[in-house]
């Protein structure tokens, strides 16, 4: 087993006034040659947006972009004419493909909104841009993993243009779950959103993360009630 630990306080922090952003991997003005990506996982930003503020219209291409609101709601607009509100317990994905321009604003004028913005390198380049969002029941991830993003077109999860899976879990204290790579040459990246877990001999607290590769199976144990995100991606 190979593992890499990313403690919450080791992330880069950018304070833009309207935006408080923690970067796990190199992004914008933050560059760390040891933190470019974890396999196909390229960006994992932990953002809090002030009420009434947000990201103005900007372009993307050839990237799979997943947004997971943690609190509050986001207002999405893009150049296809789509206008959506994305709330907590919903997940959004954009396959940017040949190119898409969009904006994401806090849907509230007063209350902050927090979210995870995650980028994954695509499996196929220059595909037709595609957008999806979906609500997921919290009850369906109590003491088990709930797949929210998958490459399997007929699943109940959002479709991603990559051999990658995103799962959410809410585990009560003392509960465990075994994790394993979905495919050969894959790795697993786990971030604790709230609470405390133990995995691969490491204790992880709020916003700590671990990347595992070249392993067969690992057990995640909730030392305290915990919410976490598990991302399975190709390592090459």
């Amino acid at each position: 087993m190979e593992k890499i630990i990313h403690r919450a306080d080791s992330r880069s922090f950018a304070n833009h006034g309207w935006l408080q952003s923690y970067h796990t991997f190199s992004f914008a003005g933050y560059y760390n040659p040891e933190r470019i990506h974890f396999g196909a996982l390229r960006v994992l930003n932990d953002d809090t947006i002030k009420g009434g503020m947000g990201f103005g219209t900007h372009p993307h291409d050839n990237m799979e972009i997943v947004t997971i609101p943690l609190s509050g709601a986001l207002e999405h607009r893009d150049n296809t004419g789509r206008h959506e509100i994305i709330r907590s317990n919903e997940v959004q994905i954009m396959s940017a493909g040949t190119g898409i321009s969009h904006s994401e604003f806090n849907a509230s004028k007063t209350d902050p909104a927090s979210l995870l913005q995650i980028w994954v390198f695509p499996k196929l380049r220059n595909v037709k841009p595609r957008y999806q969002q979906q609500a997921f029941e919290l009850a369906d991830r109590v003491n088990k993993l709930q797949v929210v993003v998958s490459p399997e077109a007929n699943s109940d999860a959002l479709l991603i243009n990559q051999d990658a899976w995103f799962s959410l879990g809410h585990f009560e204290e003392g509960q465990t779950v075994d994790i394993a790579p979905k495919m050969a040459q894959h790795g697993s990246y786990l971030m604790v959103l709230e609470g405390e877990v133990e995995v691969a001999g490491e204790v992880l607290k709020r916003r700590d993360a671990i990347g595992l590769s070249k392993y067969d199976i690992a057990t995640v144990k909730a030392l305290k009630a915990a919410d976490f995100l598990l991302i399975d991606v190709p390592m090459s």
Side-chain angles (χ1 to χ4, degrees):
M1 174 186 288
E2 293 184 358
K3 60 184 176 182
I4 184 168
I5 310 297
H6 292 152
R7 296 293 177 190
D9 61 4
S10 74
R11 299 175 297 170
S12 172
F13 175 66
N15 185 348
H16 299 286
W18 64 274
L19 170 68
Q20 314 288 312
S21 186
Y22 291 90
H23 308 317
T24 295
F25 301 102
S26 296
F27 185 84
Y30 167 56
Y31 175 73
N32 182 340
E34 296 182 356
R35 288 201 184 187
I36 303 296
H37 61 96
F38 176 81
L41 175 59
R42 173 62 187 87
V43 167
L44 202 173
N45 291 348
D46 180 3
D47 295 341
T48 300
I49 304 173
K50 187 177 179 181
M53 305 299 289
F55 301 94
T57 302
H58 58 284
H60 295 282
D61 66 81
N62 289 312
M63 193 66 72
E64 300 296 296
I65 301 170
V66 177
T67 300
I68 304 177
L70 300 177
S71 66
L74 301 172
E75 183 175 11
H76 168 95
R77 295 180 186 268
D78 62 44
N79 61 346
T80 70
R82 184 179 290 273
H83 181 199
E84 306 284 356
I85 302 296
I86 314 143
R87 297 175 172 84
S88 299
N89 290 323
E90 292 187 319
V91 180
Q92 174 206 69
I93 188 167
M94 290 192 302
S95 289
T98 55
I100 192 168
S101 295
H102 75 119
S103 63
E104 303 283 349
F105 274 78
N106 188 337
S108 170
K109 299 298 183 184
T110 56
D111 299 326
S114 62
L115 64 139
L116 299 179
Q117 181 187 133
I118 304 164
W119 297 5
V120 174
F121 291 120
K123 183 175 183 178
L124 301 175
R125 292 178 58 82
N126 298 319
V127 300
K128 181 180 178 180
R130 182 178 52 81
Y131 177 100
Q132 279 183 283
Q133 74 179 67
Q134 185 174 324
F136 294 91
E137 294 292 334
L138 176 60
D140 291 337
R141 57 178 177 266
V142 174
N143 296 327
K144 59 184 177 181
L145 293 175
Q146 176 189 49
V147 179
V148 296
V149 172
S150 165
E152 300 163 353
N154 296 321
S155 75
D156 294 328
L158 297 174
L159 181 65
I160 188 170
N161 171 28
Q162 180 53 274
D163 292 326
W165 286 259
F166 286 52
S167 301
L168 293 170
H170 173 80
F171 284 76
E172 297 166 335
E173 183 174 334
Q175 294 294 311
T176 65
V177 63
D178 289 337
I179 62 173
K182 295 286 190 180
M183 299 176 68
Q185 309 304 317
H186 272 220
S188 305
Y189 193 87
L190 185 150
M191 172 179 270
V192 179
L193 304 179
E194 301 291 343
E196 185 175 322
V197 307
E198 182 179 14
V199 58
E202 303 289 341
V203 174
L204 306 176
K205 299 184 179 182
R206 184 180 187 273
R207 297 309 203 265
D208 288 345
I210 187 170
L212 301 178
S213 58
K214 298 181 180 179
Y215 81 106
D216 295 322
I217 194 168
T219 299
V220 182
K221 180 178 181 179
L223 300 180
K224 299 178 181 178
D227 293 278
F228 61 84
L229 169 66
L230 178 66
I231 304 174
D232 184 286
V233 288
M235 294 305 293
S236 60

